[in-house]
Amino acid sequence: MIFGAGILKGMLVTLRSFVNSYFKKPDQGGLFTVEYPEKRLVAKERFRNFPFLVYDEKPEDPRCVACDICAKECPPKCITIVRDADAEGRPLKKPALFDIDLSVCMNCGICEEACPFDAIFMDHEFEIAGTERHQSLLYHKEDLLKSNGYFRQIRPSDAALIDARRKEAEDKKKAALKPAAPPEKKE
Amino acid sequence: MKNKTDTPLTEDFDTQTLQINVGPQHPATHGVFRMDLTLDGETVVRLKPVMGYLHRNHEQIAENMTYAASMPYTDRLDYFNSMSNNFGYALAVEKLAGIEVPERADYIRVILAELTRIVNHISVIGFLLNDLGAFFTPLTYAFREREKILDLFEEIAGSRMMCNYFRFGGVKRDLPPGLLERIRTMMDVFPRFLDEFEALLTDNDILCLRCQNVGVLGRELALNAGLSGPMLRASGLGYDIRKVDRYSIYGRFDFKVPVGSKGDVYDRYYVRVLEMRESLKILDQALRQIPSSGDIISRKAAPFLKAPRNFKPPVGEAYGRVESPKGELGFYVVSDGSPQPWRYHVRAPSLINLTVLEDLCIGHKLADAMVILGSIDIVLGEVDH
């Protein structure tokens, strides 16, 4: 055994790898890192980070009905919901307060799974760093609400499925209402 | 164990042992772990592992929430292999509730578990070489390959490391279209990488000198200490839960269980390399056999995806275990018929494998103690659950 043969052999492997990194395709041993702030990778559709709320037409009417299921199922309990009420104190089907503490959220996506109204989804946004701990990471309803158009943009195939399902449900509702209407007129 | 009388050099001098702390924040301890070392010169005389810096009450947390809600917490046990952790927990609860898993879901599970094994072994070897002083070249090569698999995980589960993908009775969602082909492409490239990696390492003089006959773990001790996984197999005992239990659908695949002969650091390294090759074999078979369509979650368990609080397993207890890349990962769940487990216990392989650290290190140099710790393959998230 020649002294230093192991080193030479190792150097040969690293040299080959060095050359390959410039001349080969990324999946064949080439470079595939991206210089982050200037260049960005396209986010995968299923990528999940923090939750957001969806509204259909205007932010005042979110899909959320304040049923509190996501807050109950959330493993680290980072969601706080208070139901809205009208002037006479009767509860309304929308949240008066919807807070998510992103410093507690662990990105598990269980809220999205448990929501029966397709109102809460996981976002792709990740650049949310703040300068202090408590205020900037506590997201209120206004910060969380995003349009369905945005959802379609970040997760096209999921949004298409959900939109189709919602439309079907709405059509069924309308179909169920229509036959009931004529008899009322007769009376 | 060497003491003063064995070494003639120190006989004439009035020497004393030196006590040093390695960690809790030290690059070689793989996390927040402290080794209380007593040294005679450079030789380790006594070693006391101090752990618990990352303790976060995992079991109590799980006992205070629904069964499904602890699934994302299991990701955080051994944060390198969240898929295997999910697998173990899902098996335990399925046993408890008597849920059958559909065929396609079983194949998806096995494919992901084996990919996880590759991810784990490749990074362990990278870190082991880091501990040996081969700074970052092998580790970056390893992480380059790991990255490709993590990208697949992100596409499947939505997250690279905290996958949270398994559900009781199946998996969360079906695979995205075209993913099996991408796994296939990854698998075609991977053996070439492994060959290159081995050309760099397996016969390397420095690696052999540093690793052979260091930290020898005898069969007796390995067995008596309750070790499992590659640690046990490197000592020559071919005990693999995939073969013993044949859980899930492992009985259908043809693969070998590589065993070492001496039980030194080198064997532990080499067993892991061989295991990666066996994992590729299982992946190859699974990709060929997987049904192209079918349920991904059992009909019985599907309603609980939307309403985890209604999932109430019958009164009883169950122990589900898997061969995680680190060893036997077991979950013990006791149900009292309520939506929350009455008792939840994790048998963490990292913690139990760590118990032999002192026996392996005594008599070796301080620099070897780091290598031995690296070869045990611990993740502090699991040790301190």
Side-chain angles (χ1 to χ4, degrees), chain A residues 1-2 4-7 9-10 13-14 16-18 20 26-30 32 44 46-48 69 72-73 75-77 106-110 112-116 118 155 158 165, chain B residues 65-66 68-69 72-73 76 137 141 144 147-148 151 154-159 162-165 167 172-176 185 189 192 196 199-200 203-206 305-309:
Chain A
M1 191 174 74
I2 316 157
I7 294 181
K9 212 171 141 193
V13 175
T14 48
R16 194 163 53 223
S17 176
F18 173 72
N20 282 351
D27 56 343
Q28 303 286 323
F32 61 82
K44 313 261 189 314
R46 288 187 186 179
F47 170 58
R48 58 183 147 79
I69 287 180
K72 271 187 199 136
E73 297 303 341
K77 303 273 178 283
M106 65 172 182
N107 331 95
C108 63
I110 282 185
E112 174 185 312
E113 268 171 69
C115 181
D118 302 316
R155 285 166 59 177
D158 289 346
R165 193 169 71 211
Chain B
M65 55 177 60
T66 57
Y73 280 103
R76 284 142 177 91
T137 302
Y141 288 4
R144 185 183 65 200
E147 200 69 14
K148 291 173 191 163
D151 276 351
E154 188 176 357
E155 230 161 282
I156 298 166
S159 186
M162 301 299 135
C163 298
N164 182 22
Y165 181 62
R167 291 290 176 273
K172 188 170 138 189
R173 295 179 67 176
D174 207 346
L175 297 174
T185 352
V189 186
R192 244 183 295 155
E196 183 197 79
L200 183 64
D203 299 322
N204 188 295
D205 309 338
I206 308 168
L305 271 187
K306 279 271 172 203
R309 209 155 278 276

Side-chain angles (χ1 to χ4, degrees), chain B residues 18-212:
Chain B
L18 175 73
Q19 192 180 14
I20 62 163
N21 273 309
V22 180
Q25 294 291 342
H26 190 278
T29 55
H30 299 239
V32 272
F33 171 66
R34 183 155 70 90
M35 289 191 286
D36 187 352
L37 284 155
T38 310
L39 299 176
D40 177 14
E42 256 201 80
T43 312
V44 178
V45 180
R46 199 180 63 98
L47 187 151
K48 207 175 128 230
V50 185
M51 52 194 104
Y53 294 96
L54 214 60
H55 181 71
R56 56 203 184 285
N57 234 342
H58 179 77
E59 292 177 5
Q60 277 287 299
I61 288 175
E63 283 161 21
N64 284 314
M65 55 177 60
T66 57
Y67 285 87
S70 8
M71 191 60 92
Y73 280 103
T74 61
D75 289 341
R76 284 142 177 91
L77 274 174
D78 173 358
Y79 41 77
F80 267 89
N81 335 301
S82 56
M83 293 284 193
S84 308
N85 301 342
N86 285 182
F87 202 169
Y89 182 51
L91 276 186
V93 176
E94 278 155 16
K95 218 180 197 178
L96 187 65
I99 300 170
E100 292 283 319
V101 182
E103 180 138 335
R104 185 172 161 83
D106 254 340
Y107 275 102
I108 295 175
R109 284 175 168 199
V110 166
I111 289 171
L112 295 176
E114 292 309 314
L115 283 174
T116 307
R117 195 177 314 279
I118 293 175
V119 167
N120 179 70
H121 286 354
I122 201 77
S123 32
V124 165
I125 294 171
F127 281 118
L128 174 68
L129 267 292
N130 241 13
D131 292 342
L132 274 165
F135 276 120
F136 291 112
T137 302
L139 184 66
T140 38
Y141 288 4
F143 267 44
R144 185 183 65 200
E145 301 308 309
R146 171 178 178 262
E147 200 69 14
K148 291 173 191 163
I149 301 177
L150 291 191
D151 276 351
L152 296 174
F153 282 176
E154 188 176 357
E155 230 161 282
I156 298 166
S159 186
R160 288 151 50 81
M161 287 172 80
M162 301 299 135
C163 298
N164 182 22
Y165 181 62
F166 289 39
R167 291 290 176 273
F168 311 132
V171 292
K172 188 170 138 189
R173 295 179 67 176
D174 207 346
L175 297 174
L179 197 105
L180 292 177
E181 286 75 49
R182 293 196 49 201
I183 296 178
R184 175 68 71 185
T185 352
M186 191 283 302
M187 275 174 54
D188 292 340
V189 186
F190 194 78
R192 244 183 295 155
F193 156 75
L194 214 52
D195 292 340
E196 183 197 79
F197 207 57
E198 277 206 76
L200 183 64
L201 301 173
T202 303
D203 299 322
N204 188 295
D205 309 338
I206 308 168
L207 184 96
C208 292
L209 277 174
R210 283 296 304 278
C211 292
Q212 281 172 348

Side-chain angles (χ1 to χ4, degrees), chain A residues 131-150:
Chain A
T131 49
E132 49 72 63
R133 284 174 64 189
H134 301 292
Q135 299 306 314
S136 62
L137 286 175
L138 180 65
Y139 272 38
H140 303 293
K141 196 172 74 180
E142 299 75 41
D143 313 311
L144 291 166
L145 277 167
K146 285 177 181 172
S147 71
N148 195 22
Y150 173 78

